[in-house]
Every structure is written in structure tokens, then in C-alpha cells.
Amino acid sequence: MKEFILKLKEKVLEGKSITFDEALKLTKIDESNIETLNVLFECANEIRKKFAGNKADLCTIVNAKSGKCSEDCKYCAQSAHHNTGVVEYDLLEYDSILQKALEAQNHGAHRFSLVTSGKGIDNDEELEKLAIIYEKLSNDTNLKLCASHGIITYNQAKRLRSAGVSMYHHNVETSSSHYKKICTSHTYEDRIKTIENVKKAGLEVCCGGIIGLDENFEERIKMAFEIKSLGVKSVPVNVLNPIKGTPFESLTVLPPMEILKTIAILRFILPDSYIRYAGGRMALKDKQAIGFMAGVNAALTGNYLTTTGSDAEVDKIMIKDAGLII
Ligand code: SF4
């Protein structure tokens, strides 16, 4: 297996893409074989250095509108279909959003995103409210602004762009073939359509997924190749944190070595992207630092939507220790 990993690394370093079957073979690495895993991690790190350089990207999100969502995503605490006891509130006032943005800026974040629950932006009134918030944030902070408001139209994407948003976040969440098992109220194609709308409007796209949604390795690798085909350069990797009251509450959290192996393989598939630690990475416990030496070069810091996240200062130490520059 070690020879195979090294050969595959050479192939990527030569600028060639690995195939689906080659990626699938990497998933067969025994997670208890630390020596082989280390070879995989070192190779992923080398690929990251060559194609993505040494810069790390830090972003922060604010859950600007929480709960009461019409959609039935089985992993999500904010769906009105599940009884999770999540705190529910309407769109936050500008002052509290600004306070969170300035905190993020002071902690060294480069990007700041408003995230709202719901299928998409409810109506023109909500779109305008959001646009005004982004316009004010553009004036009052030095942060690059990202937005995450679900399924949106081309015109809505254009309005967000004119308000100062530079990147739109919309995950595929899982592979096209697994999607129906995680959500039935909208389709995988709805998500792809949003990504097309956003690109057409001139926004950059941040698009990743969640691992640990009861998908097999084949589906996980398929998701990675589907993301690659979208040409996105920021790929958040979430790890399912099963939430009580959701249909996925009894799924098992992925073991740390499986998470790290998956991330390293993603780097082989997506050599020049920002591969971003996102929600659920606490599942890595004391092994988070390894990810930054195994392909990860970006992180969502601070708290996540409905779960407690990481300490930005701890992230910065791990990033610097891995030889990345913030
Ligand atoms: S993931 Fe988004 S669309 Fe799905 S239930 Fe949660 S808030 Fe709604």
C-alpha cells in the first residue's frame, strides 16, 4: 500500500488527477496501521504545499436566524420536522451581528458569514434586510463577507453580490446517490442549481459536505469527485455530530483516524482547494492538529450553528505548528 500511495502522490504532483478507483483504493488503508496512515498524511501535506501553498484561511459564522426550517434534513437541529429543542429566533439585529463580526476580526478571521435557517431566502423583504446588513458590514469591518442562505435564485445571488458578499456557501452535503437518504423536501439538483446561480452571479463558491451520514466510502469519494467537478476552491468538511431528536441521533460518530484518512484522500482529489475544518471536528479530540499536517489548510473557527466549536487561539497555534501562515 505504501508504494501505491507514493506513486499516486507523484501522479498528483505531476498535475494529473487521480481516478475514482485509485481514491477508493486509498480508503482501504487500515486505520490501525499508523505507519501507512502517516505516509498518506505526509503525501497529502506535500500535495497541499505544492498546489495550495502555505496560506491558511480562517472564517467565522454567525447563526443569524435559527430554527423553524421547513426542510427535513435528517442531521439538522434546525428542522421543524425534528424535536431538538434548538433555540429559535428570527433574523438578528444589525448591532449584535456587527459585534460578532468585530470579535471575529479581532481574532484574526479573514471571512465572516451570516447563516440563516430555512430552505432559502423567504421573500424580497428578507433579501433586502440581508443586503442592508452586508452593506453595513462592508463599511464597518475589514472582513471578506460570505453568505449562507440556502437555495437561492440568480437574482438573489446578484443582489447579495452588489451588497458586498464575495462568496456564497452552499454544501452538496453528500453524494448525489445518497442525497435522498438524508433529505426528501428538496433535491440534490436544487442544490446544484443554486451553485450554478451563484457562480453566474460572479460569486465565489464554498461547497463541501458532511461525513458520517451513514454513507459508505464509495459515496464519500463520489461526493468528493462531484465537488471537484463543480470547480469550487473552498471545501468545508463537516463531521456528523448526531443531535438528539434528529433521525440521525443514533448514528455513531466517525473515529478520528477515519476522519483524518478521509481528509487526506480529499487532498489527493482536490490538490489546490482550501480544505476547511468545519462543524463536528471536535470528534477528532486531541488529533485535530494532525489534520493541518494531512491536507487541511482552512478552518471555520469559533462556534458552529448549533454546536460549540473551537477556540480561535488554539486553532492558530495548530496552524502555525503545521507550518502554515495565517
Ligand atoms: S440544513 Fe438547512 S435546509 Fe436543511 S433543515 Fe437545516 S436549516 Fe433547513
Side-chain angles (χ1 to χ4, degrees):
M1 186 55 100
K2 279 190 213 159
E3 289 70 40
F4 175 73
I5 301 170
L6 292 168
K7 257 192 183 168
L8 220 50
K9 176 196 77 175
E10 289 309 323
K11 183 176 178 181
V12 180
L13 291 179
E14 282 166 20
K16 296 178 188 144
S17 295
I18 67 166
T19 65
F20 181 85
D21 287 343
E22 286 168 336
L24 207 55
K25 191 165 171 190
L26 290 178
T27 68
K28 307 280 189 263
I29 296 171
D30 177 358
E31 283 147 33
S32 62
N33 187 336
I34 300 299
E35 215 187 309
T36 310
L37 272 183
N38 277 338
V39 175
L40 179 77
F41 297 163
E42 279 162 23
C43 290
N45 203 33
E46 229 178 299
I47 294 170
R48 186 268 302 158
K49 274 187 205 158
K50 168 146 186 187
F51 292 101
N54 280 339
K55 272 197 212 153
D57 184 82
L58 292 182
C59 66
T60 306
I61 55 172
V62 58
N63 194 8
K65 177 181 157 192
S66 178
K68 294 186 273 187
C69 180
S70 60
E71 303 307 287
D72 68 356
C73 308
K74 288 187 183 162
Y75 52 85
C76 183
Q78 305 203 61
S79 166
H81 297 258
H82 322 317
N83 195 4
T84 61
V86 72
V87 184
E88 295 175 349
Y89 50 85
D90 293 329
L91 193 59
L92 294 176
E93 294 296 329
Y94 179 67
D95 286 349
S96 69
I97 292 173
L98 176 64
Q99 192 193 336
K100 287 178 170 56
L102 291 174
E103 274 169 26
Q105 183 169 296
N106 293 338
H107 279 110
H110 306 114
R111 299 182 170 278
F112 180 75
S113 182
L114 261 62
V115 183
T116 51
S117 64
K119 183 175 186 181
I121 296 174
D122 284 347
N123 46 42
D124 287 350
E125 193 192 332
E126 185 169 86
L127 177 65
E128 265 325 289
K129 273 191 193 169
L130 288 167
I132 289 166
I133 292 172
Y134 287 119
E135 278 162 3
K136 286 184 174 173
L137 286 173
S138 297
N139 288 328
D140 296 344
T141 73
N142 297 319
L143 292 158
K144 285 189 180 170
L145 300 177
C146 304
S148 184
H149 307 302
I151 291 165
I152 60 167
T153 64
Y154 167 65
N155 283 335
Q156 288 173 330
K158 266 204 321 191
R159 180 67 187 103
L160 293 176
R161 185 172 180 221
S162 72
V165 172
S166 61
M167 187 185 272
Y168 195 78
H169 165 258
H170 196 56
N171 285 343
V172 289
E173 306 300 15
T174 191
S175 69
S176 53
S177 46
H178 192 59
Y179 199 81
K180 280 197 184 88
K181 292 188 190 144
I182 68 152
C183 175
T184 62
S185 53
H186 60 262
T187 64
Y188 180 85
E189 289 69 33
D190 289 332
R191 288 191 172 258
I192 300 299
K193 180 74 190 150
T194 289
I195 291 164
E196 285 166 1
N197 289 339
V198 163
K199 276 187 177 172
K200 201 169 131 198
L203 288 162
E204 291 174 79
V205 182
C206 174
C207 173
I210 309 172
I211 58 173
L213 295 176
D214 212 17
E215 77 284 1
N216 57 30
F217 262 120
E218 213 167 318
E219 284 153 347
R220 204 176 291 169
I221 296 301
K222 188 171 176 192
M223 173 182 82
F225 277 94
E226 287 173 341
I227 290 171
K228 183 181 173 82
S229 73
L230 294 168
V232 297
K233 290 290 170 258
S234 171
V235 181
V237 181
N238 297 271
V239 181
L240 180 74
N241 172 16
I243 291 167
K244 203 167 181 309
T246 65
F248 281 172
E249 68 178 359
S250 46
L251 288 186
T252 314
V253 182
L254 295 181
M257 284 308 172
E258 182 176 335
I259 299 169
L260 292 169
K261 182 172 86 173
T262 301
I263 285 173
I265 298 171
L266 284 182
R267 177 53 74 193
F268 275 73
I269 301 170
L270 301 157
D272 62 351
S273 297
Y274 277 115
I275 294 184
R276 190 179 300 275
Y277 263 155
R281 67 173 153 125
M282 296 311 158
L284 285 165
K285 300 178 190 141
D286 60 348
K287 299 197 169 44
Q288 282 195 50
I290 300 173
F292 289 111
M293 292 177 258
V296 174
N297 61 343
L300 172 53
T301 66
N303 287 340
Y304 304 121
L305 292 179
T306 57
T307 53
T308 309
S310 61
D311 182 326
E313 297 309 315
V314 176
D315 277 349
K316 280 193 232 169
I317 293 168
M318 288 192 287
I319 288 168
K320 281 185 187 152
D321 285 350
L324 288 154
I325 302 157
I326 299 169

